[in-house]
Amino acid sequence: MNTNHIQIQDEILEQIDQHESFCVVGHIRPDGDCIGSQIGLALALKSQGKKVVCWNQDDVPSKLEFLVPNNLMQKPEPGQTFDCVIATDCASADRLGETGNCIGDRKIMINIDHHTGNTRYGDLNWVNSKKPSTGELIYDLCTHANWEISPAIATCLFTATSTDTGSFMYPTTKPETYRTAAELVEQGANLSKVCEEVYQSYPLCRVRLMRLLFNNFKLTHENQVAYFWLKKEHFTRSGASHADSEGLIDHLRDMDPVIIACVFEEIEPELIRISLRSKNKRLLVNKIASQFGGGGHHAAAGARIQGKPATIQRKVIKACREAVDALSKPKNGK
Amino acid sequence: MNTNHIQIQDEILEQIDQHESFCVVGHIRPDGDCIGSQIGLALALKSQGKKVVCWNQDDVPSKLEFLVPNNLMQKPEPGQTFDCVIATDCASADRLGETGNCIGDRKIMINIDHHTGNTRYGDLNWVNSKKPSTGELIYDLCTHANWEISPAIATCLFTATSTDTGSFMYPTTKPETYRTAAELVEQGANLSKVCEEVYQSYPLCRVRLMRLLFNNFKLTHENQVAYFWLKKEHFTRSGASHADSEGLIDHLRDMDPVIIACVFEEIEPELIRISLRSKNKRLLVNKIASQFGGGGHHAAAGARIQGKPATIQRKVIKACREAVDALSKPKNGK
């Protein structure tokens, strides 16, 4: 297993060595691990003298903007070509969104990710689902390559590692994750900036969204399932954008005795995005999400579902209840 | 400096070696660092064959109860004596509260703490304010002593380290803090349990308190000062206890552009507890707290103030505004 990971890193480094121009892309609705990995890798490539741009379909969330140097995030011109495209933290070609259209013309596509369900859409695929963040993979790649990790790179990779582990809180966090964090701080990761920008700077429009959540969430199934509808009017009333709603679901998950949290978000009148969180190791929300054409991690997953909101709510909550009930059923053993 | 820390640890270990019966005490309104350090140390002492009880004036918060084995937390009987009393995470004899009365009769008192303003009230004082948690000091003591760290001890010390650094988020977190976390996880710290119990199990009464906070907090001084009154009726209406309100202030602090957050809590009609948080390195809330007879850390401090609520609010908010204004004043240079 380890040998494989070293071999694939060697192959990736060989490809990087052979090429000049790079586009580093991430997933739709980019989060801290996506942006941190993407910008961290882009800066590392630039420090090796490469020509690099980054691109995502959706904007960088404002709390992560401090990670992105001017002019690094640039939508490729029509007809612009790259030697090499690298996707970070993106489980499937689908989740590249419109980015996919901009990067069709390239010699090689490299896919670096930690999602279990990664569809291996690259020419070279380095997928390690044992790592709690893609940021840690990029860190491993940089150290394996013996590239210098500047304070800016360290800050990006620290942000990636920190956000995808809930600030080193989730049980997915490994001893080596903490050691990676230690090394990134030693290499100049700006902890103070990350803490303030990423975790302690919720804009007041987000605070209004929180108020709406606390006033309107619902509990069902003996308070084991919590859910909330993020409606278009909530965004209008609060002045918040979709990016501001990231992580809102954690407040539902963190209630006792909630086991599954679900946020329904009205994307279009009959297109609903669901986000799911589980806090029971045996309750895998990516299984629920996959019933609706989505996916994700065991503890955090999502899907986009077409249909009438009331029907979708009924079906999703039913699936959640069944998943909770299955926990107390005796195992199918002999 | 380091030599001093080793010397004092040697002295502490010598005292532990020479004595048989121990009482480990913590501060009023114990938090994760207090309970984690206290129980972690008590378990370590027990594993060395010592007779140990623990005691605090106030109850263990429910989210930390999983750390405390049956019968370890016991109010000393009247007249009960101890060879050695060890206070963990307690900045002053005052903050021991009523515990102080139970432990008067002892041969030696040892004070292990990381608060800057520690009053060195022990016979032996090990105060290291460079450490973000007392938990890390206890970990250092255990490893210095070559004591085995059981999974239960590791879970206690991990909880201590994690809670006092905001889950390794605050800029006070040091590279060695992450390394300590890595080692504690390797020694069996139950990350899954800590995550669920400490961070993801807010009782519904606390959720109701959150709702009250989001519906009633105030912003002033161009939204740079946020405050909230925790009134007796809030506790009645929500069914929450004082322990449930711990950390509520973080939601005020984490708003942008808030610099200082303040929670006023009605203890008695004319006795108000204030809690203060700062997110600017140059704005030291322990200085504000000390104007009102309190103290604490740079970023987190508090005080108990007697007087009319309206008067106290006016004075405290004035002090907060002045502290914010002082940030933009040119330095007192030549």
Side-chain angles (χ1 to χ4, degrees), chain A residues 25-54:
Chain A
V25 292
H27 59 72
I28 50 174
R29 296 205 181 205
D31 58 6
D33 192 20
C34 175
I35 299 291
S37 301
Q38 183 181 27
I39 305 297
L41 176 60
L43 293 176
L45 292 172
K46 276 174 84 84
S47 76
Q48 299 307 306
K50 305 295 179 184
K51 230 180 114 187
V52 190
V53 295
C54 293

PDB file of all heavy atoms in Angstrom, chain A residues 25-54:
ATOM      1  N   VAL A  25      -7.355  22.514 -10.735  1.00  0.00           N
ATOM      2  CA  VAL A  25      -8.795  22.738 -10.595  1.00  0.00           C
ATOM      3  C   VAL A  25      -9.347  22.024  -9.366  1.00  0.00           C
ATOM      4  O   VAL A  25      -8.733  21.080  -8.851  1.00  0.00           O
ATOM      5  CB  VAL A  25      -9.559  22.237 -11.857  1.00  0.00           C
ATOM      6  CG1 VAL A  25      -9.240  23.105 -13.061  1.00  0.00           C
ATOM      7  CG2 VAL A  25      -9.231  20.767 -12.149  1.00  0.00           C
ATOM      8  N   GLY A  26     -10.499  22.517  -8.917  1.00  0.00           N
ATOM      9  CA  GLY A  26     -11.147  21.900  -7.749  1.00  0.00           C
ATOM     10  C   GLY A  26     -12.620  21.689  -8.004  1.00  0.00           C
ATOM     11  O   GLY A  26     -13.087  21.866  -9.131  1.00  0.00           O
ATOM     12  N   HIS A  27     -13.340  21.342  -6.951  1.00  0.00           N
ATOM     13  CA  HIS A  27     -14.751  20.976  -7.138  1.00  0.00           C
ATOM     14  C   HIS A  27     -15.701  22.172  -7.028  1.00  0.00           C
ATOM     15  O   HIS A  27     -15.307  23.248  -6.587  1.00  0.00           O
ATOM     16  CB  HIS A  27     -15.150  19.846  -6.182  1.00  0.00           C
ATOM     17  CG  HIS A  27     -14.979  20.134  -4.727  1.00  0.00           C
ATOM     18  ND1 HIS A  27     -15.794  20.996  -4.028  1.00  0.00           N
ATOM     19  CD2 HIS A  27     -14.077  19.655  -3.814  1.00  0.00           C
ATOM     20  CE1 HIS A  27     -15.419  21.019  -2.761  1.00  0.00           C
ATOM     21  NE2 HIS A  27     -14.371  20.226  -2.608  1.00  0.00           N
ATOM     22  N   ILE A  28     -16.923  21.955  -7.433  1.00  0.00           N
ATOM     23  CA  ILE A  28     -17.955  22.976  -7.283  1.00  0.00           C
ATOM     24  C   ILE A  28     -18.121  23.266  -5.804  1.00  0.00           C
ATOM     25  O   ILE A  28     -17.834  22.423  -4.953  1.00  0.00           O
ATOM     26  CB  ILE A  28     -19.305  22.518  -7.901  1.00  0.00           C
ATOM     27  CG1 ILE A  28     -19.688  21.111  -7.401  1.00  0.00           C
ATOM     28  CG2 ILE A  28     -19.235  22.506  -9.425  1.00  0.00           C
ATOM     29  CD1 ILE A  28     -21.075  20.663  -7.844  1.00  0.00           C
ATOM     30  N   ARG A  29     -18.583  24.504  -5.495  1.00  0.00           N
ATOM     31  CA  ARG A  29     -18.710  24.929  -4.099  1.00  0.00           C
ATOM     32  C   ARG A  29     -17.451  24.590  -3.308  1.00  0.00           C
ATOM     33  O   ARG A  29     -17.492  23.798  -2.341  1.00  0.00           O
ATOM     34  CB  ARG A  29     -19.887  24.241  -3.429  1.00  0.00           C
ATOM     35  CG  ARG A  29     -21.212  24.622  -4.047  1.00  0.00           C
ATOM     36  CD  ARG A  29     -22.289  24.442  -3.024  1.00  0.00           C
ATOM     37  NE  ARG A  29     -23.580  24.767  -3.548  1.00  0.00           N
ATOM     38  CZ  ARG A  29     -24.590  25.159  -2.816  1.00  0.00           C
ATOM     39  NH1 ARG A  29     -24.450  25.287  -1.513  1.00  0.00           N
ATOM     40  NH2 ARG A  29     -25.743  25.434  -3.345  1.00  0.00           N
ATOM     41  N   PRO A  30     -16.345  25.168  -3.692  1.00  0.00           N
ATOM     42  CA  PRO A  30     -15.077  24.764  -3.065  1.00  0.00           C
ATOM     43  C   PRO A  30     -15.058  25.051  -1.561  1.00  0.00           C
ATOM     44  O   PRO A  30     -15.587  26.068  -1.118  1.00  0.00           O
ATOM     45  CB  PRO A  30     -14.046  25.617  -3.796  1.00  0.00           C
ATOM     46  CG  PRO A  30     -14.801  26.783  -4.325  1.00  0.00           C
ATOM     47  CD  PRO A  30     -16.165  26.263  -4.651  1.00  0.00           C
ATOM     48  N   ASP A  31     -14.463  24.154  -0.817  1.00  0.00           N
ATOM     49  CA  ASP A  31     -14.332  24.322   0.636  1.00  0.00           C
ATOM     50  C   ASP A  31     -12.858  24.516   0.990  1.00  0.00           C
ATOM     51  O   ASP A  31     -12.013  24.689   0.107  1.00  0.00           O
ATOM     52  CB  ASP A  31     -14.941  23.116   1.356  1.00  0.00           C
ATOM     53  CG  ASP A  31     -14.283  21.810   0.933  1.00  0.00           C
ATOM     54  OD1 ASP A  31     -13.282  21.849   0.176  1.00  0.00           O
ATOM     55  OD2 ASP A  31     -14.763  20.737   1.349  1.00  0.00           O
ATOM     56  N   GLY A  32     -12.574  24.483   2.275  1.00  0.00           N
ATOM     57  CA  GLY A  32     -11.210  24.747   2.731  1.00  0.00           C
ATOM     58  C   GLY A  32     -10.192  23.740   2.226  1.00  0.00           C
ATOM     59  O   GLY A  32      -9.067  24.102   1.879  1.00  0.00           O
ATOM     60  N   ASP A  33     -10.587  22.476   2.178  1.00  0.00           N
ATOM     61  CA  ASP A  33      -9.635  21.461   1.714  1.00  0.00           C
ATOM     62  C   ASP A  33      -9.394  21.638   0.215  1.00  0.00           C
ATOM     63  O   ASP A  33      -8.255  21.502  -0.253  1.00  0.00           O
ATOM     64  CB  ASP A  33     -10.161  20.052   2.016  1.00  0.00           C
ATOM     65  CG  ASP A  33      -9.094  18.975   1.817  1.00  0.00           C
ATOM     66  OD1 ASP A  33      -7.884  19.325   1.833  1.00  0.00           O
ATOM     67  OD2 ASP A  33      -9.452  17.803   1.654  1.00  0.00           O
ATOM     68  N   CYS A  34     -10.437  21.957  -0.525  1.00  0.00           N
ATOM     69  CA  CYS A  34     -10.295  22.158  -1.968  1.00  0.00           C
ATOM     70  C   CYS A  34      -9.375  23.349  -2.255  1.00  0.00           C
ATOM     71  O   CYS A  34      -8.354  23.204  -2.929  1.00  0.00           O
ATOM     72  CB  CYS A  34     -11.681  22.385  -2.580  1.00  0.00           C
ATOM     73  SG  CYS A  34     -11.636  22.784  -4.328  1.00  0.00           S
ATOM     74  N   ILE A  35      -9.716  24.514  -1.716  1.00  0.00           N
ATOM     75  CA  ILE A  35      -8.937  25.734  -1.996  1.00  0.00           C
ATOM     76  C   ILE A  35      -7.521  25.611  -1.421  1.00  0.00           C
ATOM     77  O   ILE A  35      -6.532  25.956  -2.073  1.00  0.00           O
ATOM     78  CB  ILE A  35      -9.638  26.986  -1.412  1.00  0.00           C
ATOM     79  CG1 ILE A  35     -11.023  27.184  -2.048  1.00  0.00           C
ATOM     80  CG2 ILE A  35      -8.773  28.237  -1.582  1.00  0.00           C
ATOM     81  CD1 ILE A  35     -11.034  27.586  -3.503  1.00  0.00           C
ATOM     82  N   GLY A  36      -7.417  25.116  -0.188  1.00  0.00           N
ATOM     83  CA  GLY A  36      -6.100  25.006   0.445  1.00  0.00           C
ATOM     84  C   GLY A  36      -5.175  24.080  -0.339  1.00  0.00           C
ATOM     85  O   GLY A  36      -3.997  24.398  -0.565  1.00  0.00           O
ATOM     86  N   SER A  37      -5.703  22.935  -0.775  1.00  0.00           N
ATOM     87  CA  SER A  37      -4.890  21.981  -1.539  1.00  0.00           C
ATOM     88  C   SER A  37      -4.516  22.568  -2.888  1.00  0.00           C
ATOM     89  O   SER A  37      -3.369  22.455  -3.344  1.00  0.00           O
ATOM     90  CB  SER A  37      -5.685  20.694  -1.807  1.00  0.00           C
ATOM     91  OG  SER A  37      -6.070  20.099  -0.620  1.00  0.00           O
ATOM     92  N   GLN A  38      -5.495  23.169  -3.518  1.00  0.00           N
ATOM     93  CA  GLN A  38      -5.331  23.709  -4.870  1.00  0.00           C
ATOM     94  C   GLN A  38      -4.296  24.842  -4.893  1.00  0.00           C
ATOM     95  O   GLN A  38      -3.341  24.805  -5.679  1.00  0.00           O
ATOM     96  CB  GLN A  38      -6.702  24.233  -5.305  1.00  0.00           C
ATOM     97  CG  GLN A  38      -6.798  24.774  -6.692  1.00  0.00           C
ATOM     98  CD  GLN A  38      -8.225  25.292  -6.985  1.00  0.00           C
ATOM     99  OE1 GLN A  38      -8.948  25.685  -6.065  1.00  0.00           O
ATOM    100  NE2 GLN A  38      -8.596  25.300  -8.246  1.00  0.00           N
ATOM    101  N   ILE A  39      -4.486  25.811  -4.000  1.00  0.00           N
ATOM    102  CA  ILE A  39      -3.564  26.956  -3.992  1.00  0.00           C
ATOM    103  C   ILE A  39      -2.198  26.530  -3.455  1.00  0.00           C
ATOM    104  O   ILE A  39      -1.151  26.964  -3.954  1.00  0.00           O
ATOM    105  CB  ILE A  39      -4.139  28.136  -3.167  1.00  0.00           C
ATOM    106  CG1 ILE A  39      -5.537  28.522  -3.696  1.00  0.00           C
ATOM    107  CG2 ILE A  39      -3.193  29.340  -3.193  1.00  0.00           C
ATOM    108  CD1 ILE A  39      -5.587  29.031  -5.115  1.00  0.00           C
ATOM    109  N   GLY A  40      -2.205  25.664  -2.447  1.00  0.00           N
ATOM    110  CA  GLY A  40      -0.933  25.167  -1.912  1.00  0.00           C
ATOM    111  C   GLY A  40      -0.119  24.481  -3.005  1.00  0.00           C
ATOM    112  O   GLY A  40       1.078  24.760  -3.184  1.00  0.00           O
ATOM    113  N   LEU A  41      -0.767  23.610  -3.769  1.00  0.00           N
ATOM    114  CA  LEU A  41      -0.071  22.907  -4.850  1.00  0.00           C
ATOM    115  C   LEU A  41       0.363  23.890  -5.941  1.00  0.00           C
ATOM    116  O   LEU A  41       1.500  23.815  -6.439  1.00  0.00           O
ATOM    117  CB  LEU A  41      -0.982  21.826  -5.448  1.00  0.00           C
ATOM    118  CG  LEU A  41      -0.415  21.079  -6.662  1.00  0.00           C
ATOM    119  CD1 LEU A  41       0.897  20.362  -6.319  1.00  0.00           C
ATOM    120  CD2 LEU A  41      -1.431  20.060  -7.217  1.00  0.00           C
ATOM    121  N   ALA A  42      -0.520  24.828  -6.286  1.00  0.00           N
ATOM    122  CA  ALA A  42      -0.190  25.809  -7.339  1.00  0.00           C
ATOM    123  C   ALA A  42       1.044  26.623  -6.950  1.00  0.00           C
ATOM    124  O   ALA A  42       1.956  26.830  -7.767  1.00  0.00           O
ATOM    125  CB  ALA A  42      -1.380  26.725  -7.591  1.00  0.00           C
ATOM    126  N   LEU A  43       1.101  27.049  -5.684  1.00  0.00           N
ATOM    127  CA  LEU A  43       2.258  27.836  -5.231  1.00  0.00           C
ATOM    128  C   LEU A  43       3.531  26.997  -5.260  1.00  0.00           C
ATOM    129  O   LEU A  43       4.611  27.484  -5.616  1.00  0.00           O
ATOM    130  CB  LEU A  43       2.014  28.382  -3.819  1.00  0.00           C
ATOM    131  CG  LEU A  43       0.909  29.440  -3.692  1.00  0.00           C
ATOM    132  CD1 LEU A  43       0.700  29.820  -2.227  1.00  0.00           C
ATOM    133  CD2 LEU A  43       1.262  30.688  -4.511  1.00  0.00           C
ATOM    134  N   ALA A  44       3.379  25.726  -4.893  1.00  0.00           N
ATOM    135  CA  ALA A  44       4.545  24.837  -4.924  1.00  0.00           C
ATOM    136  C   ALA A  44       5.037  24.666  -6.363  1.00  0.00           C
ATOM    137  O   ALA A  44       6.253  24.710  -6.624  1.00  0.00           O
ATOM    138  CB  ALA A  44       4.190  23.488  -4.299  1.00  0.00           C
ATOM    139  N   LEU A  45       4.104  24.510  -7.303  1.00  0.00           N
ATOM    140  CA  LEU A  45       4.489  24.362  -8.710  1.00  0.00           C
ATOM    141  C   LEU A  45       5.167  25.635  -9.212  1.00  0.00           C
ATOM    142  O   LEU A  45       6.171  25.582  -9.926  1.00  0.00           O
ATOM    143  CB  LEU A  45       3.252  24.057  -9.568  1.00  0.00           C
ATOM    144  CG  LEU A  45       2.594  22.686  -9.353  1.00  0.00           C
ATOM    145  CD1 LEU A  45       1.271  22.595 -10.108  1.00  0.00           C
ATOM    146  CD2 LEU A  45       3.531  21.551  -9.779  1.00  0.00           C
ATOM    147  N   LYS A  46       4.622  26.780  -8.840  1.00  0.00           N
ATOM    148  CA  LYS A  46       5.227  28.055  -9.250  1.00  0.00           C
ATOM    149  C   LYS A  46       6.654  28.175  -8.713  1.00  0.00           C
ATOM    150  O   LYS A  46       7.548  28.638  -9.413  1.00  0.00           O
ATOM    151  CB  LYS A  46       4.387  29.232  -8.740  1.00  0.00           C
ATOM    152  CG  LYS A  46       3.218  29.579  -9.668  1.00  0.00           C
ATOM    153  CD  LYS A  46       2.320  30.649  -9.062  1.00  0.00           C
ATOM    154  CE  LYS A  46       2.838  32.046  -9.307  1.00  0.00           C
ATOM    155  NZ  LYS A  46       2.430  32.582 -10.621  1.00  0.00           N
ATOM    156  N   SER A  47       6.829  27.730  -7.464  1.00  0.00           N
ATOM    157  CA  SER A  47       8.173  27.829  -6.882  1.00  0.00           C
ATOM    158  C   SER A  47       9.156  26.911  -7.614  1.00  0.00           C
ATOM    159  O   SER A  47      10.368  27.074  -7.515  1.00  0.00           O
ATOM    160  CB  SER A  47       8.139  27.502  -5.384  1.00  0.00           C
ATOM    161  OG  SER A  47       8.020  26.107  -5.204  1.00  0.00           O
ATOM    162  N   GLN A  48       8.618  25.945  -8.374  1.00  0.00           N
ATOM    163  CA  GLN A  48       9.482  25.089  -9.202  1.00  0.00           C
ATOM    164  C   GLN A  48       9.605  25.649 -10.624  1.00  0.00           C
ATOM    165  O   GLN A  48      10.049  24.952 -11.546  1.00  0.00           O
ATOM    166  CB  GLN A  48       8.927  23.654  -9.261  1.00  0.00           C
ATOM    167  CG  GLN A  48       8.831  22.962  -7.906  1.00  0.00           C
ATOM    168  CD  GLN A  48      10.146  22.989  -7.151  1.00  0.00           C
ATOM    169  OE1 GLN A  48      11.178  22.566  -7.664  1.00  0.00           O
ATOM    170  NE2 GLN A  48      10.119  23.523  -5.932  1.00  0.00           N
ATOM    171  N   GLY A  49       9.169  26.901 -10.804  1.00  0.00           N
ATOM    172  CA  GLY A  49       9.339  27.561 -12.103  1.00  0.00           C
ATOM    173  C   GLY A  49       8.260  27.237 -13.128  1.00  0.00           C
ATOM    174  O   GLY A  49       8.416  27.538 -14.317  1.00  0.00           O
ATOM    175  N   LYS A  50       7.172  26.636 -12.680  1.00  0.00           N
ATOM    176  CA  LYS A  50       6.107  26.270 -13.628  1.00  0.00           C
ATOM    177  C   LYS A  50       5.160  27.455 -13.842  1.00  0.00           C
ATOM    178  O   LYS A  50       5.049  28.337 -12.994  1.00  0.00           O
ATOM    179  CB  LYS A  50       5.306  25.073 -13.091  1.00  0.00           C
ATOM    180  CG  LYS A  50       6.153  23.863 -12.744  1.00  0.00           C
ATOM    181  CD  LYS A  50       6.821  23.271 -13.968  1.00  0.00           C
ATOM    182  CE  LYS A  50       7.684  22.063 -13.579  1.00  0.00           C
ATOM    183  NZ  LYS A  50       8.406  21.528 -14.744  1.00  0.00           N
ATOM    184  N   LYS A  51       4.473  27.410 -14.985  1.00  0.00           N
ATOM    185  CA  LYS A  51       3.425  28.391 -15.298  1.00  0.00           C
ATOM    186  C   LYS A  51       2.109  27.799 -14.809  1.00  0.00           C
ATOM    187  O   LYS A  51       1.731  26.703 -15.243  1.00  0.00           O
ATOM    188  CB  LYS A  51       3.360  28.550 -16.830  1.00  0.00           C
ATOM    189  CG  LYS A  51       3.391  29.982 -17.321  1.00  0.00           C
ATOM    190  CD  LYS A  51       3.326  30.059 -18.834  1.00  0.00           C
ATOM    191  CE  LYS A  51       2.029  30.702 -19.281  1.00  0.00           C
ATOM    192  NZ  LYS A  51       1.847  30.645 -20.749  1.00  0.00           N
ATOM    193  N   VAL A  52       1.459  28.493 -13.880  1.00  0.00           N
ATOM    194  CA  VAL A  52       0.297  27.876 -13.225  1.00  0.00           C
ATOM    195  C   VAL A  52      -0.890  28.824 -13.134  1.00  0.00           C
ATOM    196  O   VAL A  52      -0.726  29.999 -12.781  1.00  0.00           O
ATOM    197  CB  VAL A  52       0.641  27.437 -11.770  1.00  0.00           C
ATOM    198  CG1 VAL A  52      -0.472  26.581 -11.182  1.00  0.00           C
ATOM    199  CG2 VAL A  52       1.965  26.712 -11.704  1.00  0.00           C
ATOM    200  N   VAL A  53      -2.060  28.345 -13.463  1.00  0.00           N
ATOM    201  CA  VAL A  53      -3.293  29.031 -13.073  1.00  0.00           C
ATOM    202  C   VAL A  53      -4.184  28.030 -12.339  1.00  0.00           C
ATOM    203  O   VAL A  53      -3.988  26.814 -12.418  1.00  0.00           O
ATOM    204  CB  VAL A  53      -4.097  29.624 -14.264  1.00  0.00           C
ATOM    205  CG1 VAL A  53      -3.327  30.731 -14.967  1.00  0.00           C
ATOM    206  CG2 VAL A  53      -4.508  28.542 -15.254  1.00  0.00           C
ATOM    207  N   CYS A  54      -5.152  28.598 -11.601  1.00  0.00           N
ATOM    208  CA  CYS A  54      -6.117  27.758 -10.897  1.00  0.00           C
ATOM    209  C   CYS A  54      -7.504  28.158 -11.362  1.00  0.00           C
ATOM    210  O   CYS A  54      -7.720  29.316 -11.736  1.00  0.00           O
ATOM    211  CB  CYS A  54      -6.047  28.004  -9.396  1.00  0.00           C
ATOM    212  SG  CYS A  54      -4.508  27.475  -8.667  1.00  0.00           S
TER     213      CYS A  54
END
